[in-house]
Amino acid sequence: MRVVVVGAGVAGLALAHALIKHGHEPEVYEAAPELRATGGAVGLWPGTVAILHELGLRPGGVRLTHMASWTVRGWKQAAIDLAHAERRYGFPSVHVERRELVECLAEGIPVTFGARVSEVDPARAEVRFAGGGSARGDVLVGADGRNSVVRQALWGADPARYVGWATWQGFITWPTQPKVLMVVGEQGSLGLTPAGPERQLWWFDVRTGPGRPLWEDEPDPVGRLKELFGDWGGVAAKVLERIEEAEFFPHLYHPVRKVWGAGPATLAGDAAHTMPPTMAQGANQAIEDAWALSRAVGGDLRAYERQRARVVARSARMSATGRTDKPTPVAGLVPGGAMTRLYTWWLRRASGYLLTPR
């Protein structure tokens, strides 16, 4: 079938690969003049890595073996052995720069760039472009992100709302080790994850809202972060010494709908389920969408939406709570082995691929 895919991000490019694997003909249109490969880095969990391997894709990245979370006062909140999930599911957890992931997904996929959609006719699976011309398929997929024009045609106004947190992030030079480290306190949290040789992604999740003015128009984010977290000491002090610039990401969320599309039109990725980055699920759920949707093309698209909504809603709700950004020392009372087993179980609940018998 001919499938018009609007958006050449993680969801759209992964979908194109999956559609080709199933014998369909994707046409990918992107509003930007070139591949959007900027951004930080993303964690890919075992189910997602398995899907990419199934599609013949190897995006690289750093294999992760452990995650640990501490309060700023030195209380251990969680210690998780990610190798346990790797043994259970047969694939590792990895952390990869978004640029590297997008470039891997784009390989071999023809994309029409500079194709900004001005009109959408969901019933006809057709889009018209601002510069003239149109595209029509048997199926139309809006994979065009949080500000999706396809979703606007299907749903109307953007349903996403801020949830009281924002992320500032960037890269620093730091010894590489296969571990995710988090430190949490009243101001928010600090995270460190390896993204390559001697390269780490750092992030600060910051409470926002009344009395907490750090926001996207902050003229000196690095200075502001030093004001907020400068008294933490330890690893936070070492990170703050090294950062030179910071990229801003607001935490946005909307309840995941059971029905995303209508007729031959549907959605995938952030267009369907915007969520905060706190559980590192955005890219994973986008790739899971691509895998599931490629199997549904030519069949019941509403069934695809219902199936995915059940799984995605769990991750979206948990991400919106900001639970991992808050100090909860009582969590440290749970033995490491039990926490590892619980997290391994949750990874399966967050993956439609792992939940599907094979």
Side-chain angles (χ1 to χ4, degrees):
M1 301 189 77
R2 183 182 179 189
V3 183
V4 173
V5 180
V6 179
V10 171
L13 294 171
L15 176 60
H17 278 283
L19 288 169
I20 291 170
K21 179 179 175 64
H22 285 277
H24 301 298
E25 299 175 2
E27 296 179 7
V28 182
Y29 297 91
E30 168 58 46
E34 59 187 8
L35 198 65
R36 295 178 290 111
T38 58
V42 296
L44 302 177
W45 306 117
T48 308
V49 175
I51 291 171
L52 293 175
H53 276 243
E54 190 175 289
L55 297 176
L57 300 171
R58 306 291 190 274
V62 179
R63 174 177 169 266
L64 302 175
T65 60
H66 293 84
M67 286 199 306
S69 176
W70 299 77
T71 71
V72 72
R73 296 184 178 183
W75 299 330
K76 181 182 287 187
Q77 293 206 130
I80 297 170
D81 178 6
L82 294 174
H84 180 269
E86 180 176 347
R87 293 189 295 270
R88 172 70 176 81
Y89 301 126
F91 290 90
S93 300
V94 301
H95 195 243
V96 59
E97 287 196 42
R98 188 180 182 280
R99 171 193 54 78
E100 189 175 353
L101 174 61
V102 170
E103 289 176 352
C104 174
L105 291 172
E107 190 170 345
I109 302 299
V111 179
T112 302
F113 291 102
R116 184 170 65 85
V117 173
S118 59
E119 296 180 45
V120 179
D121 185 344
R124 289 167 52 86
E126 183 176 15
V127 294
R128 294 188 178 277
F129 304 108
S134 63
R136 184 180 179 186
D138 300 303
V139 174
L140 169 65
V141 181
D144 46 342
R146 193 188 77 75
N147 298 311
S148 170
V149 293
V150 179
R151 185 195 60 222
Q152 184 176 8
L154 289 164
W155 295 8
D158 181 358
R161 59 180 177 83
Y162 293 104
V163 294
W165 291 83
T167 294
W168 290 97
Q169 69 174 32
F171 294 101
I172 55 173
T173 301
W174 194 278
T176 301
Q177 52 184 356
K179 300 178 181 179
V180 181
L181 171 66
M182 287 188 65
V183 182
V184 298
E186 291 303 319
Q187 298 94 326
S189 67
L190 160 67
L192 273 175
T193 308
E198 301 296 310
R199 187 168 169 82
Q200 290 266 345
L201 177 77
W202 62 266
W203 73 89
F204 283 97
D205 284 356
V206 183
R207 293 178 186 270
T208 59
R212 303 177 185 272
L214 185 68
W215 205 238
E216 58 189 317
D217 57 355
E218 172 63 46
D220 180 19
V222 175
R224 189 76 170 119
L225 290 171
K226 289 179 178 180
E227 288 179 17
L228 286 170
F229 298 94
D231 63 350
W232 276 20
V235 68
K238 295 178 181 179
V239 171
L240 290 168
E241 286 175 0
R242 289 167 170 78
I243 63 177
E244 298 179 355
E245 56 184 13
E247 190 174 8
F248 173 82
F249 294 92
H251 289 201
L252 300 162
Y253 166 76
H254 64 81
V256 177
R257 297 189 178 193
K258 294 180 180 179
V259 176
W260 301 349
T266 190
L267 302 172
D270 285 351
H273 40 72
T274 297
M275 69 182 75
T278 50
M279 302 296 292
Q281 282 291 316
N284 290 272
Q285 296 302 335
I287 293 170
E288 292 257 0
D289 286 350
W291 172 78
L293 178 52
S294 68
R295 294 154 58 99
V297 166
D300 186 353
L301 295 179
R302 305 294 84 78
Y304 146 75
E305 295 162 3
R306 291 190 298 270
Q307 172 201 5
R308 290 296 300 136
R310 285 194 295 270
V311 177
V312 176
R314 298 180 192 124
S315 298
R317 284 194 300 266
M318 288 190 68
S319 298
T321 66
R323 186 177 303 169
T324 57
D325 288 323
K326 302 171 185 175
T328 53
V330 68
L333 300 176
V334 180
M339 186 68 75
T340 291
R341 291 190 294 274
L342 177 63
Y343 194 78
T344 300
W345 170 83
W346 183 82
L347 285 178
R348 184 170 183 268
R349 293 273 292 170
S351 169
Y353 181 90
L354 293 178
L355 285 169
T356 301
R358 58 179 49 80

